[in-house]
Amino acid sequence: MNRPPEPVPLHVHFMRRPGAGPDPVPLILSHGWPWTFWHWSKVVDALADPAAYGGDPAESFDVIVPSLPGFGFSTPLTARPDMISGRSSTSGTS
């Protein structure tokens, strides 16, 4: 019988900038490979505090930028060999 894998503790690093407006909307920005959370650093402030950049404070976001597992300071997925360094459990390599 197929069973879901056992949960593995995973520490996810993230950068957060609270919105400065009256009712900020949550916004998650995700990066892809080979980039990291830091590639979003130039837009985070403008999204969280648009008034400081000439925008409407009512359009602010509560910005959260998580690091993918194994990137930045997030824990790599060591329990999943098929998700590490392009290896696949079906490729016959160990």
Side-chain angles (χ1 to χ4, degrees):
M1 175 178 274
N2 290 336
R3 293 185 185 167
E6 290 293 320
V8 176
L10 181 67
H11 299 281
V12 176
H13 168 262
F14 63 93
M15 174 174 55
R16 179 177 179 256
R17 174 76 158 81
D23 190 23
V25 175
L27 176 66
I28 295 176
L29 300 175
S30 181
H31 66 85
W33 184 88
W35 299 277
T36 68
F37 73 97
W38 192 249
H39 287 87
W40 288 109
S41 65
K42 292 182 180 180
V43 298
V44 169
D45 287 335
L47 290 168
D49 189 5
Y53 295 84
D56 184 355
E59 295 177 352
S60 69
F61 293 94
D62 189 12
V63 184
I64 301 164
V65 186
S67 291
L68 293 174
F71 289 80
F73 302 105
S74 291
T75 304
L77 297 173
T78 57
R80 294 285 310 265
D82 59 325
M83 305 269 304
I84 301 171
S85 303
R87 291 185 186 169
S88 171
S89 59
T90 60
S91 68
T93 62
S94 54

